[in-house]
Amino acid sequence: MEPTKICLTLSGKTIAENLAVLDRYRPYIDIAELRVDFLESDERLHIREFPRLAGVPCILTIRRQIDGGKFLEGEAARTILFGKALAFQQEDKDAKFEYVDFEEDFHIPSLQDAVHAFGIRIIRSVHDMRNPIHSLRERLDNLKSNEYEIPKIAFMPHSLKDVQRMFETAKVLKDSNHILVAMGPLGVPTRILAPRLKNFLTYTSPAETVENMPELFHLDPLTLKNTYHFSDINDSTELYGITGWPLNATSSPELHNEAYVKKGMNKVYIPFRSENFFDALSFASSLGIKGFSITIPHKETAANTADVVDEKVSAIGASNTFVNRDGRWFAYNTDASGFARSLLEFTGLKNLNHKKVSIIGAGGASRAIAYAVHSLGGKACIFNRTLSKAKELASMYDFEYAILDSSSASLLKKYNDIIIQTTSKGMGSKEASNPDNDPVYFYDFKGKEVLFDIIYHPTVTPVMRRAAECGCRVINGYDMLRYQGYEQFELFTGESMTN
Ligand code: NAP
C-alpha cells in the first residue's frame, strides 16, 4: 500500500503569499492544495500558472461556502474558473494540476471529460461541516464512479464515537485510494493516524494560516513531523495517548514521542479528546491503544471504571494512567509521586515533617497531592470553592478544610510554609494577578512561603508572579508533569525514559 501523503493546504490571499509559505514547508510535504476560494479575485486569473511555480504535485480546490469554503459567486462562475484553471493542460506533469477536488454533486460532463483526457485525478468529496456522516463504506463506494477517482468524506463528529466509526470502517478497506477525515478537535486522531485509516493523504495547514480555517483543526506539517513522526507510523506502530476535555494544551505528546524516537521504539502518542470518558475508553479499546494518560475532568471517573486499580488509585480516588494488559484496563496514579519528587527536589527537603501546607483546590490533581503531602508527613489545610469537596478530601487525612475566599485568609496564613495551587484558575492567563486568574488573590504573601503552582501553561502564572515579586520561592508544574510522565512511560513500555 502507498504511504499516506502529506498535503499542505494553502489558503493565502495571493499566489505569491502561498508560494512563500510553500517554500518554508517544502521539505515536509508531498502535495500542495491551492484553495482558490481564499484568493483575491485578481489573483484567480493566474491559477493556471500555479503548479509550475509550486514545483510539487498540486490539488485544485474551489470550495463553496456550504462545504466550508469561501466561494460565494455561484456554480456558473465556479465552473468557468475550473475550466480556466484546467484548460489546455500540458503533458508536462510539473506544469499542471495533478488532482482536482469536485464535490459529490458537481458533475459537469465537459469538465470531467477534459480532466480525464489530461490525466488529472478527481478527489470526489463530500463534506458535512456540522454533523457526522453515517454508512461510510456505502458512501465511499457510491462516491467513486471509476478507479481514477479518490473518494473523500469529511465530517464534523459530535463525539469520539463518530471518529471510532471511521477507524472501524477503514479496517475493512483494502486499498489506500480514499480520504476519511473527521474535522474539529475531536478529529485530530484522523489527521495523525491517517496511515491507519489507509488514507491517500492527510491535510495540514501552515502554522501561519491555520487560523483561516479554525473549524478544521489542521495540524501544521512540522508538528506532524517533529511531534508525531508521521512518516514512521505504520501498521505495526503501537498506539498510546492522552484523553481529557477540552485538552487545549498538553505537553505530554512531545515528552513521550521524543523518548520513543530516542529509544528506537515504533510507538506514537496522540491526543484523543473526549467529553465523555467512556467514549475515550471505547475508542482506546477499539484502536488497540496500549496505554493512555488521563487529565481534566476524567481522573475520578477513570478510577471508578478500570478493571484493576492499584493501591494508590484506590487511596487517592483518581487515576491519570491506564494500561491495557490482555484486554483489561489497569489504573495507576503517577501524579502523587511526580509531585512529591518535584517538591522535594525544589525545596531540598527529605519530607514534610513539621511543615504546615495549604492545598488550594480539591479536584482530581488535588487528591493525588493531598495523598503525597500526607505520605510525606505534612499537616495541611485544603481550600476549595466547593466546600463539600474540600471537607471530603480533608477527612481522608485528618486535614483541616475551608472555603476558598477572603474569609479564609487568616487560616491560609497559619498554613503558609508551602502553598500548593492545584485549581485550574490561572491556566492560560498572561494577565497580571486579579480575582479571575489568581485563586488566592485575597492573600498577601510574606516572602518566606514556597509557592508550588501545578499549572505549567503559562510557565509563570499570575499568582506565581505576584508571589515571586514578594520574595517567595516559586515553582510551576512542569517538573511534576515530567516526573509523572517518566513513571507513565515505564508503565507503558517497561523501560526507563531517562536511561
Ligand atoms: P479538576 O479535577 O477539574 O479540578 C479543578 C479544581 O479547580 C477544583 O478544585 C475546582 O473547584 C477548581 N476550580 C476550577 N475553576 C475554578 C475557579 N474559577 N475558581 C476557583 N476554583 C476553581 O482538575 P484537575 O485534574 O485537578 O487539574 C487542575 C489543574 O492542575 C489543571 O490546570 C491541570 O492542568 C493541572 N495539573 C497539572 C499536573 C502536572 O503534572 N503539572 C497534573 C494534573 C493537573 P471546584 O471543586 O469548586 O469546582
Side-chain angles (χ1 to χ4, degrees):
M1 212 169 293
E2 282 277 294
T4 303
K5 299 177 186 359
I6 299 179
C7 171
L8 184 72
T9 297
L10 295 167
S11 59
K13 286 189 185 135
T14 65
I15 302 258
E17 186 189 329
N18 283 327
L19 290 171
V21 168
L22 173 60
D23 263 345
R24 275 199 286 284
Y25 291 94
R26 194 179 292 281
Y28 313 108
I29 60 144
D30 305 297
I31 298 185
E33 179 190 39
L34 179 65
R35 284 289 300 263
V36 175
D37 48 310
F38 278 84
L39 288 176
E40 286 168 352
S41 31
D42 295 358
E43 293 286 318
R44 292 176 183 172
L45 301 172
H46 309 293
I47 52 184
R48 263 191 68 196
E49 291 301 304
F50 187 76
R52 189 180 51 76
L53 297 169
V56 291
C58 291
I59 305 174
L60 173 69
T61 301
I62 313 176
R63 189 76 73 224
R64 307 173 288 206
Q65 200 174 32
I66 185 180
D67 297 310
K70 282 207 170 303
F71 197 81
L72 300 170
E73 290 89 329
E75 283 304 75
R78 203 161 72 110
T79 305
I80 291 170
L81 204 48
F82 270 128
K84 280 187 181 155
L86 299 172
F88 310 112
Q89 291 274 307
Q90 328 202 357
E91 282 297 304
D92 181 3
K93 231 163 71 110
D94 298 338
K96 70 174 186 188
F97 285 99
E98 277 196 38
Y99 308 89
V100 60
D101 187 310
F102 286 161
E103 294 80 6
E104 179 183 33
D105 59 351
F106 186 80
H107 285 284
I108 306 288
S110 54
L111 259 185
Q112 275 176 217
D113 289 349
V115 160
H116 286 149
F118 298 134
I120 298 166
R121 294 190 71 186
I122 296 175
I123 297 175
R124 183 67 69 185
S125 62
V126 54
H127 301 85
D128 193 324
M129 302 304 292
R130 287 169 202 247
N131 296 304
I133 291 175
H134 295 272
S135 311
L136 292 171
R137 182 80 199 273
E138 292 74 25
R139 289 299 292 271
L140 281 179
D141 288 344
N142 292 340
L143 277 173
K144 193 172 170 174
S145 63
N146 65 55
E147 64 186 287
Y148 300 108
E149 297 204 353
I150 303 166
K152 168 187 168 189
I153 298 179
F155 67 64
M156 190 60 78
H158 287 173
S159 74
L160 204 56
K161 275 195 198 121
D162 297 322
V163 183
Q164 183 178 328
R165 239 172 353 91
M166 206 168 237
F167 280 95
E168 282 165 2
T169 302
K171 278 183 196 164
V172 297
L173 298 175
K174 299 225 160 30
D175 59 26
S176 58
N177 206 21
H178 57 261
I179 303 166
L180 292 169
V181 183
M183 296 180 278
L186 285 165
V188 166
T190 68
R191 311 231 178 245
I192 303 170
L193 299 181
R196 279 295 165 94
L197 290 165
K198 304 172 189 150
N199 272 355
F200 177 74
L201 60 76
T202 191
Y203 292 96
T204 63
S205 275
E208 296 86 337
T209 56
V210 79
E211 278 310 314
N212 286 353
M213 296 175 288
E215 66 288 357
L216 301 186
F217 231 80
H218 276 180
L219 300 177
D220 75 274
L222 281 174
T223 302
L224 212 52
K225 178 184 173 4
N226 294 341
T227 304
Y228 298 106
H229 308 281
F230 179 82
S231 40
D232 296 335
I233 297 174
N234 54 35
D235 285 349
S236 328
T237 305
E238 290 184 345
L239 306 182
Y240 296 85
I242 178 164
T243 194
W245 188 263
L247 197 62
N248 284 335
T250 168
S251 304
S252 296
E254 282 87 348
L255 190 75
H256 287 265
N257 287 325
E258 199 183 306
Y260 297 152
V261 169
K262 262 195 199 139
K263 290 184 166 280
M265 294 171 164
N266 186 9
K267 300 180 191 293
V268 66
Y269 181 105
I270 64 157
F272 52 103
R273 297 164 173 84
S274 180
E275 212 166 352
N276 177 313
F277 181 71
F278 300 100
D279 288 354
L281 196 60
S282 162
F283 181 83
S285 298
S286 170
L287 266 75
I289 288 176
K290 301 219 170 263
F292 63 94
S293 316
I294 299 145
T295 186
I296 289 182
H298 300 320
K299 291 182 185 180
E300 286 150 79
T301 314
N304 296 323
T305 307
D307 298 310
V308 184
V309 293
D310 88 337
E311 58 191 35
K312 249 192 234 169
V313 172
S314 33
I316 294 168
S319 166
N320 72 332
T321 311
F322 262 38
V323 180
N324 195 303
R325 296 203 182 95
D326 301 323
R328 295 203 306 159
W329 288 108
F330 287 67
Y332 299 93
N333 189 303
T334 68
D335 279 335
S337 46
F339 164 76
R341 182 172 167 191
S342 173
L343 178 72
L344 296 182
E345 201 171 81
F346 182 68
T347 56
L349 295 168
K350 296 249 172 321
N351 56 51
L352 295 180
N353 291 345
H354 315 297
K355 293 290 176 202
K356 298 275 235 162
V357 179
S358 280
I359 301 175
I360 314 299
S366 174
R367 298 185 81 84
I369 282 162
Y371 171 91
V373 168
H374 180 256
S375 310
L376 291 169
K379 285 268 170 282
C381 182
I382 299 176
F383 299 83
N384 198 42
R385 179 178 61 177
T386 309
L387 188 63
S388 57
K389 281 169 71 182
K391 182 178 178 188
E392 190 252 348
L393 183 56
S395 71
M396 292 169 67
Y397 305 107
D398 206 13
F399 288 165
E400 280 200 71
Y401 64 92
I403 190 83
L404 181 60
D405 67 22
S406 57
S407 66
S408 299
S410 56
L411 193 58
L412 188 48
K413 224 185 211 173
K414 258 177 66 185
Y415 283 88
N416 68 0
D417 290 330
I418 302 173
I419 298 173
I420 305 160
Q421 192 312 100
T422 78
T423 74
S424 41
K425 212 170 179 179
M427 191 157 73
S429 173
K430 294 199 173 103
E431 290 165 30
S433 156
N434 65 57
D436 291 331
N437 64 20
D438 180 343
V440 291
Y441 66 92
F442 52 84
Y443 175 76
D444 293 325
F445 288 99
K446 307 285 167 289
K448 67 178 185 57
E449 303 90 336
V450 166
L451 174 74
F452 192 134
D453 192 335
I454 70 164
I455 291 175
Y456 52 89
H457 276 300
T459 47
V460 181
T461 60
V463 67
M464 282 172 69
R465 188 171 305 113
R466 186 166 69 86
E469 281 165 8
C470 296
C472 298
R473 296 183 61 213
V474 300
I475 177 171
N476 70 17
Y478 188 69
D479 282 347
M480 172 180 169
L481 175 85
R482 267 198 313 138
Y483 293 148
Q484 65 79 25
Y486 292 174
E487 202 179 327
Q488 271 181 348
F489 186 89
E490 271 190 64
L491 288 163
F492 290 159
T493 67
E495 284 190 33
S496 157
M497 190 186 246
T498 46
N499 294 336

